[in-house]
Structures are given as C-alpha cells and as structure tokens.
C-alpha cells in the first residue's frame, strides 16, 4: 500500500502562512456546511458513523466523546486541542501545525459547534514555542475573515512535562495548577476544564473532522480496518534511510512503512507508540498498524541489529520514571524500581529472581495505576522479555 | 516546582452530585446483592455493608485523593482495577473486593511503599500506631521483593508541635488535604515529580519554629512515622506497646 494523504493532503501544497491559499483548497467549506446545514446532533452522529478514533494514543471513539459533551448539562463548555506531542519519537503534530494549521482550526470550530462550546484552547508543547507566532497568525487570519463567529480560540503553552499531554493533567496545567493526572469519573465530557463539560482531542483527530464533514462518514469508513477507520500519520525515526512523517491507511503492515517507505535495513526491533508503546521483533514486521494490533500515537522507532535491547528498554524506563507525575504508588515507585533493576542488567549484574519479580510488578502497575502512563509503563519491559529474553539472561551476574 | 493548588472546595459533599437520582442503586459485592444510595463511592457502599477495604490516602468526608491505590477492587467489565475510594457506584455493578488478583496487587503496592522506606520501625515513635505496618501485616507482606533507593531527608525538629521526617513519608497526601480543610493557607503542598516528588513546606524548607501552631490535624491523620508530635520518654504513649508475634 502506498501513502494515502487525507490528513496531510494540504501539507506542502498550500502556503501555511496565507489563508487565501487554504480557501482556494475548499478551506472552511466544511465549517460552513456544519453551521448552515447540520445540527450539532447530526454532526456528532456523522462523526460516530465515521468510526473515527482518537489519534493521541488511546483510540477512544471521537463521536462518543463529542456526544457526551454535547448532551452534558451546562452553558459553558470547552474544546481543547492537545498539541503537547510529548510522546517519545512523535513529530507528526508539529509537521501538521507547521504545514496546515488552517484545517486544524477549522476542525476545532466544527467541534465547538457540535458540542456547543464558545471557547477553545490549543495546548502547545513547550518545545514548540517557535510555532507560537505562526499559530497565532493563523488564528488572527481566521478571525479577520469572520470564521470564528463568536468563538474564542487561545493558545496555551506547556512547561515541558510529558504528563501534561495526559488529558486530565493538561487541564490542570491550563488551570494554572501542578500538572497531575486526575481520577475518572468524573470524565472531562461532564466535568473537565474548570469543572465544565470539555472535549479534548489530539491535533490529528481534529484534522480528520473537516474531510469527514465534507465527504461524509461512508467515504471515511471505507478506509482502514473493521475497528480502525481512516488513515494514520506516522512519525518514523531511528535506523532508517528516510526518517519523517508518512500517512497510510490504517491496517497497513508495519513492514511497508519501515522497509518500503522509510528504507530500514537489518531491523532488530521496532518500538511503536513511544516510551509507553509496544516493542516488536523483526519477525513480527507483518503486524498491521491498527488499534486492534499496535498503534499508539503512531511513533515508530526502528532499531537495527547493532542496537542493544536492554540499553533501549533501560533508557525508556528512566524516561518514564523521571516523567511520572508521582501521584500514585504503582507508577511513582514501580518505574523507579524497574529503572534500577534494568540498570543492573545493563551492567551485567542482573538476577533471574528479579526477572520473575518484574512480571508481578508489571501486572500491578498495569492494573492499579491511575493514568495511562503507569498503566502502560511496563510495556517495553514485558514485550522485550517476551521476544528477547535471551538478552536478559545473558546479562545475569555469574 | 509548580504553584500549589489552593482550590477551596475540598469537601466531599457534592462530588458525583450529577449522579444523584431518587432511586437506590443495586449492585453486587463479593457475590452478595446489596443496595445503596446513589452518589456513594464503592468504598462507602462496601463499608456500609460491613466489607472492609484497606485504604491509606482516604479521609472520610473530604474529596478523594486517589494516590495510594490500596483501595483498588475488581469491577466486572473494567480493563484495570478501579480505585474504590473515588469511583461512584452504578446500577448493576459487580465488584470483587478481595479476589486473588486484587490481593496480589495490594501486596505489590505495599511492597513498593516499603521498598524505599527506611528500615527504622524498631526505633520509630509511631511504630505501634503505624497504618502502613498494620496494612502490611494484614496482607502478610514481609520483606519486600523490590528495592529502590531510599529518600534520606534530615529530621525537621525545630517546631515544638510537630516533628517531620520525610524519609518515612508514603506520599498519601492526607496531610495536604487535612490542612487544606482546616486553614485557608495550607502549610503543605506537592513538589517535584516521579520518585522525587515530595510534600513540601513553603519553598521546600525545613519546618521552622513558627510554621504552625493551630491544630494537629495533619499529625493525627498521617499514616506513617513521617509526622509526629515531639515526645520525651516517660510521657504519654500513642498506644499500647507493639508486639509482633511470629
Ligand atoms: C502520559 C500520557 C501522555 C499523553 N500525551 C499526549 C500528547 O502529547 N498528545 C496527545 O494528543 N495525547 C496525549 N495523551 C492522550 C490524552 O490523554 C488523550 O487521550 C488525548 O489527547 C485524547 O484525544 P484523542 O481522543 O483525539 O486522541 C497522553 C496520555 C498519557 C497517559
Ligand atoms: S500513573 Fe504515574 S503519571 Fe499517572 S497518576 Fe499515577 S503517578 Fe501520575
Ligand atoms: S507526611 Fe504523612 S500524611 Fe503527609 S503525605 Fe507523607 S505519609 Fe501522608
Ligand atoms: S484509598 Fe483509594 S487510592 Fe488511596
């Protein structure tokens, strides 16, 4: 399967600095259709029918989320665009923000209309500060053309914490608090930002909204698999000839992405979904890229045979231990214990007993952690133990 | 370090008020059908029905904290375990509070807390009233299987009402919540991240002479030896002496 450009169709095509260039490519036609021809209920139904699932990692059905916020009681509601892009190895949202910020704003405005929100925020990753001017200019041009229609759209900058990409911590951060995960329920759709009904969606999710509204749910759901509709934008990096951003229909085999498109050779393993993502060995390259198999936010990091699995997994765990918000026991303590155990293996001082303990620890972290970070933190350890157990056993102290 | 959260409303009343309906909710806990008032948490409903679930960060009547995770239970249909202290009951819920999976998970949690806890129980002033020890004993946790580096902080003993030893803190945050409920200007807040996160006073300075003299709410509620009253030998004991039978 070659690349298929739905989300990225305007990237490198339009001039991202000029709204005229976007208008010439059917820009804001979907917004006009949504506002003039569709009720909020029809919009959420269309999104539900499309099968669009969140592109920020968790894959939650977008239409169901919107419906929850639309029907939640309350006059004040919010739309948040999650542009924190903190997952290790992801850079697709940055590419989108750089090359086609207008489609994103159009998607946010349609979301606002669908749930009855008058205010929205774009939560921008601290490291993307250089995009602040560019995005503000986008919003200004959209405002001047009168497309906001009373909607207020502001940019909020993060402060460099991975956890602030997690939706509840992100809302704390916008509220000016320490960014920490909250327990759910209440869910953001009933009690989100400042306690008001809120939807929070990834950049790429919102990019899919204007084409779905223009072309219809049936058109969208032709692409992809049974449970993963549409396309996905991947950030490919590591030991590949052509690192970069690629868009493919969901369900495409991993091999086509990393070997055919990105030109990887001598693959040892691929990490899909970043630090909290899955690890697959070369034998599993025919795995489809879909929510029902492996996907996450679409970070694909390739490692060739010169790489050391233990070293990669150890560094992944050190990152998670540092970025855990520290609120709940399994994640705060568990990531630290794991990082210390892996450090021993990295120095050839591991023990078989500790390997056994890692399995029990993983299961408790996955079951009891409060948010996705702690729940998914053991993924790389568990996957590498499944596929590369020999490498661990070689590092046991003699 | 981030700005402390000074939000005023921390009373549990009103939490899940959007769920309050007239009718009672029927649910099944450990195979027994029970009914409970809407708006209750799983923990509250279980306790009303005589089932005890261990908790370390929970404070009745205040907003749930959700930090320790000891109160996790199995709810049919849920991918993960759920925190019973902060999850509202729902019609038809099927709950297991002491299944093998739940017990195994709680054990790991206690072992994780002990992994970085100083081995100081023998000389700890609160050993005989320590909730962490009691829960560990209930779950038959002995020496933890896991090891993590210990936090070494100097004991803060300048204040004549309270001694603070953050090496023993299990980060339940009860002190933060309890203080918030008592005073408009809370003494403690959370700082740093991950394993380095810490309950701090001011800008992370030792508790000083005139830090606080108002109440002992935080000391009373601290489940570990981290917060205690200064005590001289021969003065009133916290509870009867502790004996551990093997
Ligand atoms: C630790 C952690 C970090 C996250 N970081 C991001 C992020 O940087 N960007 C993002 O869109 N979603 C991130 N998420 C997922 C969000 O919590 C949330 O699911 C997502 O923004 C919802 O939007 P979607 O349904 O459109 O994917 C993160 C989740 C966790 C647990
Ligand atoms: S799982 Fe980790 S990041 Fe999430 S709330 Fe718990 S400590 Fe914080
Ligand atoms: S000092 Fe005590 S009450 Fe406060 S967080 Fe630590 S263990 Fe909990
Ligand atoms: S008592 Fe529920 S998380 Fe601590």
């Amino acid at each position: 399967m070659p690349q298929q450009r739905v989300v990225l169709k305007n990237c490198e095509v339009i001039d991202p600095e000029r709204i005229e260039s976007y208008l010439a490519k059917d820009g804001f036609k979907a917004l006009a259709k949504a506002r003039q021809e569709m009720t909020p209920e029809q919009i959420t139904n269309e999104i539900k029918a499309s099968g669009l699932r969140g592109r920020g990692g968790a894959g939650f059905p977008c239409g169901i989320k919107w419906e929850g916020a639309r029907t939640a009681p309350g006059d004040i509601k919010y739309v948040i665009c999650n542009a924190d892009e903190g997952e290790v190895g992801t850079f697709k949202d940055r590419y989108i923000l750089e090359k086609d910020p207008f489609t994103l704003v159009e998607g946010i405005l349609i979301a606002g209309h669908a749930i009855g929100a008058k205010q929205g925020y774009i939560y921008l990753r601290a490291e993307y500060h250089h995009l602040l001017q560019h995005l503000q200019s986008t919003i200004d041009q959209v405002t001047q053309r009168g497309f906001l229609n009373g909607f207020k759209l502001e940019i909020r900058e993060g402060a460099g914490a991975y956890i602030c990409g997690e939706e509840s911590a992100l809302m704390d951060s916008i509220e000016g608090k320490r960014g920490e995960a909250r327990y759910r329920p209440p869910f953001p759709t009933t009690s989100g930002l400042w306690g008001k009904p809120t939807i929070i969606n990834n950049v790429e999710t919102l990019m899919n909204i204007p084409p779905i509204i223009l072309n219809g749910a049936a058109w969208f759901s032709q692409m992809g698999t049974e449970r993963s509709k549409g396309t996905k934008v991947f950030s490919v990096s590591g030991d590949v000839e052509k690192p970069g951003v690629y868009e493919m229909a969901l369900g495409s085999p991993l091999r086509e992405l990393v070997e055919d498109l990105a030109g990887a050779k001598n693959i040892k393993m691929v990490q899909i979904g970043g630090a909290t993502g899955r690890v697959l060995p070369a034998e599993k390259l025919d795995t489809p890229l879909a929510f029902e198999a492996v996907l996450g936010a679409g970070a694909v990091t390739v490692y060739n045979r010169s790489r050391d699995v233990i070293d990669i997994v150890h560094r992944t765990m050190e990152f998670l231990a540092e970025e855990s918000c520290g609120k709940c026991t399994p994640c705060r303590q568990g990531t630290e214990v794991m990082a210390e155990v892996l450090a021993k293996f990295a120095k050839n001082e591991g023990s078989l007993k500790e390997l056994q303990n890692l399995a029990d620890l993983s299961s408790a972290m996955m079951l009891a952690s409060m948010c996705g970070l702690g729940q998914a933190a053991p993924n790389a350890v568990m996957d590498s133990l499944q596929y590369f157990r020999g490498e661990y056993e070689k590092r046991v102290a003699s | 370090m981030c700005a402390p959260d000074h939000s005023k409303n921390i009373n549990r009343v009103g939490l899940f008020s959007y769920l309050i309906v007239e009718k009672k909710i029927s649910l099944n806990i450990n195979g027994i059908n029970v009914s409970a008032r809407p708006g209750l948490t799983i923990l509250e409903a279980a306790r009303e029905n005589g089932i005890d679930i261990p908790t370390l960060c929970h404070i009745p009547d205040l907003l749930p904290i959700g930090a320790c995770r000891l109160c996790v239970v199995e709810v049919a249909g849920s991918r993960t375990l759920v925190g019973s202290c902060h999850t509202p009951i729902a019609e038809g819920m099927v709950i297991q509070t002491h299944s093998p999976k739940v017990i195994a998970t709680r054990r790991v949690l206690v072992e994780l807390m002990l992994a970085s806890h100083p081995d100081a129980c023998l000389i700890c002033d609160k050993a005989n009233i320590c909730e962490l020890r009691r829960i560990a004993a209930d779950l038959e946790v002995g020496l933890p299987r896991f090891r993590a580096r210990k936090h070494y902080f100097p004991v803060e003993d300048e204040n004549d009402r309270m001694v603070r030893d953050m090496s023993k803190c299990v980060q339940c945050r009860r002190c933060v919540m309890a203080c918030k409920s008592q005073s408009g200007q809370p003494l403690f807040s959370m700082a740093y991240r991950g394993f380095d996160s810490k309950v701090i006073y001011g800008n992370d300075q030792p508790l000083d002479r005139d830090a606080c003299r108002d109440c002992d709410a935080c000391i009373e509620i601290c489940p570990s030896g981290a917060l205690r009253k200064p005590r001289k030998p021969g003065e009133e004991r916290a509870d009867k002496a502790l004996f551990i039978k093997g």
Side-chain angles (χ1 to χ4, degrees):
Chain A
M1 253 170 275
Q3 283 208 69
Q4 187 168 357
R5 290 170 92 86
V6 172
V7 169
L8 303 180
K9 67 177 187 309
N10 287 334
C11 297
E12 322 272 356
V13 173
I14 64 162
D15 176 355
E17 302 289 339
R18 289 176 50 249
I19 195 166
E20 296 78 17
S21 168
Y22 179 62
L23 290 170
K25 291 275 170 199
D26 291 341
F28 291 102
K29 284 213 174 126
L31 179 67
K33 180 175 175 189
R35 281 185 181 154
Q36 286 151 27
E37 297 167 30
M38 295 171 87
T39 63
E41 189 175 358
Q42 281 169 330
I43 298 175
T44 45
N45 284 342
E46 196 70 20
I47 302 299
K48 270 203 287 188
S50 75
L52 175 65
R53 294 171 65 174
R55 303 301 196 227
F60 190 81
C62 183
I64 295 181
K65 188 186 282 189
W66 287 22
E67 173 132 302
R70 181 180 71 77
T71 53
D75 295 335
I76 303 175
K77 298 182 184 180
Y78 299 103
V79 177
I80 300 175
C81 166
N82 190 342
D84 194 52
E85 192 159 56
E87 191 52 82
V88 180
T90 38
F91 40 84
K92 51 143 190 130
D93 292 344
R94 182 186 69 199
Y95 181 79
I96 292 169
L97 294 170
E98 279 170 1
K99 305 291 180 192
D100 184 16
F102 294 109
T103 304
L104 176 66
V105 170
E106 185 172 1
I108 294 172
L109 294 176
I110 295 171
H113 176 57
I115 70 158
K118 294 266 177 317
Q119 169 119 36
Y121 294 94
I122 298 175
Y123 187 83
L124 186 66
R125 176 183 166 92
E127 290 82 348
Y128 293 173
H129 178 74
H130 60 286
L131 293 175
L132 185 67
Q133 283 295 315
H134 168 64
L135 271 183
Q136 191 54 54
S137 146
T138 307
I139 297 174
D140 292 345
Q141 292 180 60
V142 175
T143 313
Q144 276 157 21
R145 293 274 175 161
F147 289 121
L148 285 191
N149 203 10
F151 192 87
K152 214 167 137 217
L153 183 55
E154 288 175 44
I155 305 169
R156 285 281 187 282
E157 280 190 282
Y162 176 63
I163 189 60
C164 287
E166 193 280 334
E167 56 185 23
S168 60
L170 189 158
M171 293 185 301
D172 273 2
S173 170
I174 293 184
E175 290 177 14
K177 296 184 201 152
R178 173 187 162 85
E180 276 184 352
R182 306 177 186 171
Y183 48 77
R184 276 147 283 195
F187 289 96
T189 44
T190 44
S191 174
L193 193 61
W194 289 295
K196 307 292 182 205
T198 303
I199 54 165
I200 170 158
N201 278 122
N202 174 255
V203 170
E204 186 188 343
T205 313
L206 291 162
M207 292 292 289
N208 278 293
I209 302 299
I212 292 175
I213 295 298
L214 265 190
N215 307 319
W219 161 81
F220 186 81
S221 59
Q222 282 167 9
M223 298 176 283
T225 70
E226 174 83 41
R227 289 168 58 200
S228 308
K229 300 296 185 193
T231 64
K232 181 79 189 81
V233 183
F234 297 99
S235 319
V236 185
S237 63
D239 297 319
V240 293
E241 266 167 26
K242 289 171 278 178
V245 174
Y246 296 91
E247 181 174 4
M248 295 178 92
L250 278 161
S252 303
L254 176 60
R255 184 186 301 282
E256 283 182 19
L257 177 64
V258 294
E259 287 187 347
D260 303 352
L261 291 175
K265 293 198 181 67
N266 286 323
I267 298 176
K268 180 175 197 172
M269 63 176 235
V270 185
Q271 193 166 22
I272 302 126
T276 49
R278 312 304 304 240
V279 167
L280 289 181
E283 306 87 80
K284 296 265 172 189
L285 281 180
D286 293 311
T287 306
L289 291 157
F291 289 108
E292 54 269 39
V294 289
L295 193 61
V300 176
T301 316
V302 181
Y303 298 97
N304 67 22
R305 289 199 206 113
S306 72
R307 306 288 171 180
D308 175 19
V309 174
I310 309 282
D311 183 48
I312 294 161
V313 176
H314 174 223
R315 277 185 292 134
T316 297
M317 193 52 68
E318 281 198 317
F319 169 82
L320 293 170
E322 176 152 344
E323 295 295 336
S324 155
C325 83
K327 181 164 184 177
C328 72
T329 312
C331 173
R332 180 188 65 242
Q333 305 283 102
T335 52
E336 172 69 22
V337 169
M338 282 194 166
E340 290 186 27
V341 169
L342 291 166
K344 282 200 217 157
F345 276 89
K347 285 189 287 180
N348 298 316
E349 290 168 8
S351 83
L352 288 176
K353 211 165 143 198
E354 277 176 333
L355 280 192
Q356 184 47 46
N357 291 343
L358 277 186
D360 292 345
L361 177 53
S362 290
S363 123
M365 288 167 72
M366 289 172 167
L367 288 170
S369 292
M370 194 158 77
C371 84
L373 196 160
Q375 287 163 11
N379 279 345
V381 180
M382 286 294 98
D383 287 347
S384 59
L385 269 173
Q386 182 181 346
Y387 299 119
F388 299 98
R389 196 176 180 92
E391 307 231 0
Y392 283 89
E393 284 166 354
K394 269 195 289 191
R395 311 292 270 273
V396 168
S398 44
Chain B
M1 208 180 304
C2 305
D5 169 15
H6 290 300
S7 26
K8 290 270 153 29
N9 187 12
I10 53 160
N11 204 298
R12 187 234 174 285
V13 176
L15 179 71
F16 309 128
S17 57
Y18 63 98
L19 294 173
I20 309 272
V21 286
E22 290 294 301
K23 227 169 99 237
K24 278 210 165 189
I25 285 180
S26 340
L27 58 163
N28 183 295
I29 310 184
N30 300 345
I32 302 157
N33 289 325
V34 301
S35 69
R37 292 194 312 285
L40 290 192
T41 61
I42 296 174
L43 175 70
E44 288 162 337
R47 286 192 173 161
E48 270 189 5
N49 285 282
I51 298 162
D52 196 37
I53 298 173
T55 58
L56 202 63
C57 66
H58 174 72
I59 312 176
D61 301 327
L62 296 189
L63 271 186
I65 297 169
C68 77
R69 313 310 295 162
L70 275 179
C71 69
V72 287
V73 297
E74 231 178 297
V75 173
S78 168
R79 184 176 50 89
T80 61
L81 301 178
V82 304
S84 63
C85 72
H86 58 75
T87 304
I89 52 171
E91 186 63 38
M93 244 183 194
V94 179
I95 299 159
Q96 288 290 337
T97 64
H98 288 76
S99 65
K101 190 159 133 186
V102 169
I103 299 290
T105 304
R106 286 191 193 134
R107 280 204 184 111
V108 172
L109 293 174
V110 172
E111 286 179 279
L112 283 174
M113 290 181 203
L114 294 174
S116 63
H117 203 77
D119 302 312
C121 296
L122 202 59
I123 48 163
C124 180
D125 252 14
K126 275 174 89 173
N128 58 346
I129 52 167
C130 175
E131 285 181 52
L132 179 60
R133 288 194 73 169
R134 204 203 64 227
I135 291 172
D138 279 351
L139 286 165
E140 298 175 85
V141 171
L143 263 187
R145 277 169 293 172
F146 315 112
R147 290 268 118 197
R149 69 195 147 93
K150 314 255 181 218
H151 298 288
Y152 287 113
F153 299 110
V155 175
E156 301 164 27
D157 56 3
E158 281 288 300
N159 191 283
D160 60 1
R161 292 287 293 258
M162 185 188 339
V163 178
R164 224 167 74 111
D165 180 355
M166 295 319 284
S167 320
K168 293 178 182 166
C169 173
V170 294
Q171 309 227 16
C172 68
R173 307 181 176 207
R174 273 182 180 176
C175 54
V176 182
M177 189 57 94
C179 187
K180 252 195 219 171
S181 74
Q182 300 289 323
S183 68
Q185 203 47 303
L187 206 58
F188 301 121
S189 56
M190 295 307 301
Y192 312 110
R193 244 182 359 211
F195 193 69
D196 294 327
S197 47
K198 187 186 175 197
V199 179
I200 58 160
Y201 163 65
N203 280 323
D204 196 8
Q205 61 225 55
L207 212 56
D208 45 46
R209 229 166 263 271
D210 33 40
C212 180
R213 302 165 166 278
D214 295 345
C215 69
D216 294 332
C218 56
I219 306 177
E220 302 287 333
I221 210 151
C222 175
S224 74
L227 300 183
R228 60 180 169 86
K229 291 181 192 163
R231 195 178 66 86
K232 295 194 191 71
E235 281 177 11
E236 191 193 352
R237 271 183 221 260
D239 202 343
K240 57 181 183 294
L242 179 81
F243 294 99
I244 298 181
K245 293 188 204 134

